[in-house]
Amino acid sequence: MDHRRYRPMIPLGGGAASRAIAVAVCAGFALSANPARAQYSPRDGYTENGGYRVYLEMTPYLWLPASKGTASIGQGSSFGTDVSFSSGPPSPADLAHSLHGAIVAFGLLRYGPWFTEADFQWIDAFHKSTFQPNPLGPAGTLKDSLSLVRVAPGFGYQVYSGALGGVPITLDARVGFSVLTWSLSAKIEETPFSGVDVSHGFPQPWVGFRADFYPGKDWRLELGANAEGFGVDGGVWGWGASALVYYSITNWLDAAGGFRALSSRGRGNGRDLFRRAIDITLYGPVLGLGVRF
């Protein structure tokens, strides 16, 4: 018998080292059979032969914005009150004492020139102030808090794909609607009273554009802007703008950073004493990690 024809198999299940060797060999074959594609491309959403394919990216951000605005409850000087707020970008001390911060998440699904997207913003902050005793009452601590959630789905079409100064560029036209929900509460902590707690939500349409520049396979610059409201909900308008730089860490993992601003307004559509309104502007740096498929 020719023993060379019946060499014993190496038992891969016999230890961690043999399993690691097997995984490395399989990974090597996979990488050699599927070479890495370009990191970023203006042809995302297309196959190599020009057909349509599904392309998905999701990016959550950490957003630490400065904020300013006014929240109104009721109307008129006799029956209403306005609460104004303004703060710079939060410092570590602000985060520790007021939990002032925000999270932004963005998702995009392309199929050829068509795409759908969803944008999400959340901000939550509270502030404490003390007041001295006076003839009307004892000393106390007033705690007021503001919470805001905005969800903005949309869809659009890539209206241009070309080059500017030798740099590939794409331009997307976008349209959608946003739903803004906010709540405001105020309470004197030393008293048993529940305080004041109001909330309101409203939808608004928006339109915008997005321009993507591809200066290198590992880099992408994205500029975006949108307008919303268009006079609905009591004649209000809002806007948003962003400038983001993406860097491809791997074929599927991105790092992103830049600047984002959002101004959103809402008005109650009634004339009753409980009419509610908000006017808020947020602006500041964003940092995030995203995935692509």
Side-chain angles (χ1 to χ4, degrees):
M1 178 182 295
D2 187 357
H3 294 283
R4 291 176 296 179
R5 298 180 56 191
Y6 299 95
R7 293 175 182 173
M9 299 285 292
I10 299 175
L12 296 179
S18 59
R19 288 193 295 270
I21 293 173
V23 171
V25 171
C26 293
F29 278 116
L31 291 175
S32 62
N34 298 283
R37 64 175 178 85
Q39 303 298 308
Y40 291 117
S41 170
R43 300 294 294 170
D44 288 332
Y46 293 90
T47 63
E48 292 184 358
N49 60 9
Y52 295 176
R53 75 175 184 91
V54 173
Y55 169 84
L56 174 66
E57 63 179 61
M58 296 179 292
T59 308
Y61 299 93
L62 173 64
W63 192 20
L64 301 179
S67 62
K68 63 179 181 179
T70 302
S72 301
I73 306 170
Q75 65 178 355
S77 58
S78 300
F79 301 99
T81 181
D82 291 342
V83 179
S84 297
F85 47 91
S86 178
S87 67
S91 65
D94 294 329
L95 294 176
H97 293 95
S98 67
L99 300 179
H100 186 286
I103 293 177
V104 182
F106 179 77
L108 174 70
L109 175 65
R110 288 189 182 274
Y111 187 68
W114 300 96
F115 63 86
T116 182
E117 63 179 69
D119 197 18
F120 172 83
Q121 294 95 27
W122 164 82
I123 180 172
D124 186 44
F126 69 84
H127 177 262
K128 289 185 178 182
S129 58
T130 59
F131 52 90
Q132 301 302 317
N134 56 65
L136 298 178
T141 302
L142 175 65
K143 178 181 178 181
D144 54 88
S145 61
L146 174 69
S147 178
L148 181 146
V149 176
R150 177 178 178 270
V151 181
F155 65 94
Y157 187 82
Q158 187 180 96
V159 296
Y160 177 76
S161 179
L164 180 64
V167 177
I169 178 177
T170 60
L171 183 63
D172 295 333
R174 308 154 60 210
V175 63
F177 68 93
S178 65
V179 178
L180 178 69
T181 302
W182 63 276
S183 62
L184 176 70
S185 64
K187 181 181 185 298
I188 300 177
E189 293 189 326
E190 291 81 2
T191 66
F193 303 108
S194 59
V196 178
D197 190 355
V198 297
S199 62
H200 187 50
F202 49 87
Q204 293 180 345
W206 63 265
V207 297
F209 76 90
R210 177 174 48 243
D212 287 297
F213 300 83
Y214 302 84
K217 68 176 185 177
D218 294 326
W219 297 91
R220 186 179 78 193
L221 171 63
E222 180 181 291
L223 303 177
N226 65 277
E228 65 180 43
F230 300 99
V232 303
D233 196 23
V236 299
W237 291 77
W239 57 269
S242 62
L244 302 171
V245 176
Y246 291 82
Y247 175 73
S248 178
I249 301 174
T250 70
N251 277 356
W252 59 272
L253 180 65
D254 302 331
F259 184 87
R260 176 146 192 178
L262 172 68
S263 180
S264 196
R265 300 171 181 141
R267 300 284 186 268
N269 53 12
R271 295 182 175 273
D272 61 311
L273 299 181
F274 299 100
R275 184 171 182 259
R276 301 160 185 172
I278 192 170
D279 182 345
I280 186 170
T281 300
L282 307 170
Y283 54 96
V286 293
L287 293 172
L289 285 176
V291 294
R292 290 175 288 121
F293 303 97

